[in-house]
Amino acid sequence: MSLVVYNTLTREKEPFVPVDPAHVRMYVCGPTVYDYVHIGNARPVVAFDTLYRLLKRHHPRVTYVRNITDIDDRIMVRAADNGETIEALTNRTAAAYSADMRRVGALDPDVAPRATTHVGEMIELIARLIARGHAYEAEGHVLFAVPSMADYGRLSRRSRDELVAGARVEVAPYKRDPADFVLWKPSTPAQPGWDSPWGRGRPGWHIECSAMSAKHLGETFDIHAGGLDLIFPHHENEIAQSRSAFGHAFMARYWMHNGFINVSGEKMSKSLGNFFTVHELLDQYPGEAIRLLLLSAHYRQPLDFTHDGLVQSKAILDRWYGVLRGRATAAAPGVPDGVERALLDDLNTPLAIAELHALATPQHAAELKAGGAALGLLQVDPEEWFRWAPKEAAASGPTDAEIEAAITARRAARAARNFAEADRIRDDLKARGIVLEDSAAGTSWKRG
RNA sequence: GGCCCGGUGGCAGAGUGGCCAUGCAGCGGAUUGCAAAUCCGUGUACGUCGGUUCGAUUCCGGCCCGGGCCUCCA
């Protein structure tokens, strides 16, 4: 069994062959940290976290880099609006991002580089592009000369001419070619900036990923991933920068892109305002339910976001944890074949989930847990899972001790065949969000 | 206008040239003091019109519908 991935560069599924078999390297574009991320931003994190886990099972060494963009005009605007420093804003938001991503079950990347600590590398890269005739200085800006690259546009399958013809924005007068893009731009004294050979300024959007991937992964590497909307211009321009600077035939061998989360058929986005932040969702649903929902559609397909979908995901996890409950199950060694086979086929997580359903029986509990691990699921103690409650209910609902006391009282009532009282206790708990389940072994409960 | 993706049963969502996806919901049953949970059973699904084929939801073409990108965007 070997991994096959869909490569945006060729628009085909291809066998995954690492550049260096001893060391697989992947880069995923992370967030611009000016606010809490929405669930759409969490999709690539969860999808490619699943890929990271898979790669680690099949290769001796994997390095996963997920960057933090902490210099950007939106950050500058937001910090000014909030009356806080850029550092305070980006530190706070980046910390919230890491915490939220952990709560949806994502492993930490091996390296989480920040743009602001790599400005030196960016300046070096830009200088290199100028020296090689791929970039030029104009009015304090440095621009990448798109016509200097013969096959610019290969990833997004657009020609320079098409881009120019379809352009929706005004072309800055200092550009030699309308398709040229900014590598470095000047800062006013009030704006954050760094000294450079071209004066005090700050980097353009795309250069950071070229600089940071080269530093932490090398001039070429295996997988570069992110959302569909990054294909153009972000990834196209990264390729242009890195290949032109280093002279290689490719930057990353495989380009993987996840589809969008939709709301009522439309892309979830900050500008449309139709988004839910992961942070607020985590008050209402367990992170694991959010993760399962994100994995329940194939990563390249659109996924319609609904609260009902989260409720369903939680119900599925309740069932699976119900199988594990009271069984002190250790995960079986390895990953069940069906699950692994599904994942190796371009991360077919919905099929892997179907395999998990087939394993959701008492006799397969150990495999269920092992299969869950491959998807980053089912790893907490079942009792802990069933004690989870939405933030509000957790604050106002009965404590574990109160529940246990009520169950004891009910057991006494049942023993006395006082079913009216037993049912009253059960209904009372139900009204407070606690569901009781009687079995031969006794009564268990869950927060529902 | 250019370049891309999609349209599968009530809903979610895989997949395949001929046979079961899977889950949720619904319905029937078992079990239960009653429930809950669990278990068993239960569905003429593949946008549309043509073509290729012994046979197409699956391959090819047209059309319709929806979505995305075209320098803020996961």
Side-chain angles (χ1 to χ4, degrees):
Chain A
M1 293 196 291
S2 57
L3 175 62
V4 170
V5 298
Y6 181 88
N7 189 353
T8 304
L9 213 45
T10 56
R11 316 276 155 137
E12 275 172 11
K13 282 195 200 175
E14 298 175 14
F16 175 73
V17 181
V19 176
D20 173 3
H23 186 191
V24 171
R25 293 158 290 161
M26 74 178 222
Y27 188 98
V28 174
C29 285
T32 300
V33 284
Y34 64 100
D35 203 345
Y36 290 122
V37 296
H38 60 66
I39 188 168
N41 299 286
R43 172 122 95 147
V45 173
V46 168
F48 301 119
D49 171 73
T50 308
L51 177 64
Y52 178 45
R53 291 168 187 263
L54 179 67
L55 289 169
K56 277 160 77 105
R57 289 197 292 279
H58 293 265
H59 297 278
R61 184 177 167 213
V62 181
T63 299
Y64 169 28
V65 177
R66 189 180 72 203
N67 70 292
I68 297 281
T69 299
D70 61 354
I71 176 66
D72 173 272
D73 288 5
R74 282 169 295 170
I75 294 174
M76 286 160 38
V77 169
R78 183 62 63 90
D81 287 354
N82 291 358
E84 64 184 329
T85 64
I86 284 172
E87 290 69 30
L89 172 65
T90 57
N91 285 338
R92 183 167 54 77
T93 320
Y97 174 73
S98 301
D100 290 344
M101 294 307 103
R102 280 189 203 115
R103 288 183 65 192
V104 295
L107 301 172
D108 286 334
D110 297 290
V111 189
R114 287 183 173 228
T116 51
T117 60
H118 292 75
V119 176
E121 286 86 346
M122 295 184 222
I123 289 173
E124 221 171 283
L125 193 62
I126 294 168
R128 204 179 167 114
L129 285 166
I130 294 174
R132 292 174 66 105
H134 290 288
Y136 59 94
E137 193 185 350
E139 296 180 30
H141 295 72
V142 180
L143 293 129
F144 184 89
V146 167
S148 75
M149 186 185 187
D151 57 351
Y152 180 85
R154 218 172 102 203
L155 182 71
S156 56
R157 308 220 160 170
R158 289 163 222 258
S159 70
R160 193 206 65 94
D161 295 345
E162 285 165 3
L163 287 173
V164 173
R168 295 182 303 197
V169 293
E170 266 181 69
V171 176
Y174 46 79
K175 288 188 179 181
R176 285 187 196 162
D177 186 280
D180 293 351
F181 58 91
V182 172
L183 299 172
W184 188 263
K185 56 188 167 190
S187 292
T188 64
Q191 293 173 325
W194 288 261
D195 290 323
S196 81
W198 319 286
R200 186 171 171 282
R202 57 192 195 281
W205 175 30
H206 319 295
I207 196 70
E208 63 171 276
C209 290
S210 285
M212 295 192 288
S213 63
K215 176 169 184 188
H216 298 287
L217 296 176
E219 294 177 3
T220 63
F221 52 97
D222 298 296
I223 295 170
H224 194 131
L228 212 54
D229 49 355
L230 296 182
I231 294 174
F232 191 90
H234 188 52
H235 288 165
E236 195 70 79
N237 290 350
E238 280 186 53
I239 291 172
Q241 293 163 348
S242 294
R243 287 186 48 205
S244 300
F246 303 122
H248 298 293
F250 66 96
M251 177 191 187
R253 208 173 247 180
Y254 305 92
W255 291 80
M256 298 176 72
H257 295 96
N258 61 276
F260 295 124
I261 303 252
N262 290 161
V263 178
S264 312
E266 263 189 327
K267 174 186 176 178
M268 180 182 290
S269 76
K270 291 218 165 138
S271 41
L272 286 173
N274 60 348
F275 63 90
F276 297 87
T277 66
V278 175
H279 203 75
E280 65 187 327
L281 251 19
L282 282 167
D283 288 342
Q284 297 174 65
Y285 303 96
E288 210 173 321
I290 295 174
R291 184 181 180 95
L292 179 60
L293 178 67
L294 292 174
L295 292 174
S296 67
H298 183 85
Y299 77 94
R300 284 190 280 114
Q301 293 299 120
L303 171 63
D304 209 59
F305 175 84
T306 60
H307 282 279
D308 191 56
L310 283 170
V311 170
Q312 226 184 83
S313 295
K314 163 109 172 19
I316 290 167
L317 288 165
D318 279 344
R319 202 170 90 72
W320 289 349
Y321 273 116
V323 171
L324 300 178
R325 191 176 207 180
R327 237 173 275 282
T329 307
V335 174
D337 267 12
V339 174
E340 195 73 331
R341 227 177 301 120
L343 293 176
L344 285 167
D345 182 13
D346 193 35
L347 290 182
N348 192 339
T349 53
L351 190 57
I353 289 167
E355 296 289 335
L356 250 33
H357 282 299
L359 297 173
T361 65
Q363 62 270 34
H364 292 118
E367 290 156 278
L368 174 65
K369 190 158 180 182
L375 292 172
L377 300 170
L378 300 178
Q379 300 309 295
V380 307
D381 182 271
E383 293 307 322
E384 193 185 313
W385 168 263
F386 287 115
R387 275 167 174 62
W388 182 92
K391 197 178 186 184
E392 269 180 43
S396 62
T399 64
D400 291 6
E402 287 169 337
I403 296 163
E404 298 294 350
I407 288 173
T408 302
R410 177 167 169 272
R411 189 186 311 131
R414 289 181 77 203
R417 301 197 63 78
N418 183 354
F419 294 119
E421 172 63 4
D423 290 351
R424 189 198 62 75
I425 293 170
R426 186 173 64 199
D427 292 344
D428 178 57
L429 284 174
K430 179 147 194 207
R432 300 168 74 192
I434 308 302
V435 178
L436 298 191
E437 291 170 11
D438 295 331
S439 76
T443 299
S444 59
W445 61 273
K446 65 184 183 188
R447 293 202 163 90

